[in-house]
C-alpha cells in the first residue's frame, strides 16, 4: 500500500518474491522494476538460473539481461550443471515452430555478453574458451544454434 501512495518503498530481500507476485497481479510495473533491482543485487552462482527464470516469467528484461551477463562470466562452471542444460532445452522448446538451426535467445544473449567487452588478445583467448565450452554443451545435448 505504501508504494501505491508514494511511488517508492524499501524492500526486504526475503519479501521480494511475494511483493513481485502482488505487483504483477495488480499491474504495478514500477513496483515490479523495483523488485527486479532488489533481486539483481542478490544474483550469485547458486541462484542465477532461478533468477533468470523468474525474470522471464515476470518479464523483467533488465534483470534477465543482468542474469545472462552473470552467466557469461561463469559459463565454464555453468556448462557442468545439468540444470543449465535443461534451461537451454526449455528456452529452445518455448520458441514456436523452432527449426533445428534457429537461435535460442538465452544462448544468443550469453554469446553477446561473452564477446561484448573483448579488447585485448588475452580477453579474446578467454572469450574463445568460454564460447568453446558453451558449444561443447550444445553439441552434447544435440542442439544446433
Amino acid at each position: 500500500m505504501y508504494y501505491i501512495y508514494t511511488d517508492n518503498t524499501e524492500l526486504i530481500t526475503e519479501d521480494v518474491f511475494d511483493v513481485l507476485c502482488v505487483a504483477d497481479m495488480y499491474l504495478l510495473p514500477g513496483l515490479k522494476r523495483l523488485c527486479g533491482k532488489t533481486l539483481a543485487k542478490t544474483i550469485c552462482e547458486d541462484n542465477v538460473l532461478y533468477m533468470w527464470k523468474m525474470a522471464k516469467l515476470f518479464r523483467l528484461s533488465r534483470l534477465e539481461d543482468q542474469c545472462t551477463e552473470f552467466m557469461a562470466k561463469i559459463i565454464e562452471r555453468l556448462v557442468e550443471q545439468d540444470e543449465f542444460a535443461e534451461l537451454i532445452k526449455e528456452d529452445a522448446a518455448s520458441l514456436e515452430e523452432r527449426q533445428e538451426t534457429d537461435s535460442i535467445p538465452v544462448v544468443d544473449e550469453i554469446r553477446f555478453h561473452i564477446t561484448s567487452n573483448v579488447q585485448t588478445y588475452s580477453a579474446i583467448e578467454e572469450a574463445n574458451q568460454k564460447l568453446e565450452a558453451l558449444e561443447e554443451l550444445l553439441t552434447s545435448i544435440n542442439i544446433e544454434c
Side-chain angles (χ1 to χ4, degrees), residues 22-88:
V22 170
D24 189 56
M25 184 171 45
Y26 289 109
L27 305 174
L28 299 169
L31 186 55
K32 279 177 59 174
R33 278 192 301 276
L34 190 59
C35 290
K37 285 180 184 178
T38 303
L39 290 172
K41 295 174 187 172
T42 66
I43 296 173
C44 67
E45 189 170 340
D46 295 332
N47 70 11
V48 68
L49 300 179
Y50 177 75
M51 214 54 97
W52 181 83
K53 289 177 184 178
M54 292 295 290
K56 290 282 283 188
L57 177 66
F58 289 101
R59 293 190 169 107
L60 296 169
S61 56
R62 176 174 256 153
L63 179 60
E64 184 181 341
D65 187 58
Q66 289 169 317
C67 288
T68 54
E69 183 177 4
F70 189 82
M71 286 182 210
K73 289 177 184 175
I74 62 166
I75 194 68
E76 292 166 315
R77 292 190 300 276
L78 276 182
V79 295
E80 297 170 1
Q81 297 179 17
D82 292 335
E83 187 180 354
F84 182 62
E86 286 302 313
L87 181 138
I88 290 174

Side-chain angles (χ1 to χ4, degrees), residues 5-23:
Y5 291 109
T6 64
D7 202 34
N8 195 12
T9 190
E10 289 190 28
L11 293 171
I12 301 168
T13 306
E14 294 81 31
D15 296 335
V16 174
F17 288 113
D18 294 332
V19 173
L20 181 57
C21 290
V22 170

Side-chain angles (χ1 to χ4, degrees), residues 107-133:
V107 174
D108 289 345
E109 289 297 317
I110 291 170
R111 284 177 177 152
F112 169 78
H113 286 296
I114 289 172
T115 59
S116 65
N117 292 323
V118 175
Q119 295 179 351
T120 64
Y121 185 73
S122 61
I124 292 170
E125 290 287 320
E126 183 181 341
N128 284 336
Q129 289 174 350
K130 289 179 176 186
L131 290 171
E132 189 175 310

Side-chain angles (χ1 to χ4, degrees), residues 83 94-95:
E83 187 180 354
S94 71
L95 298 174

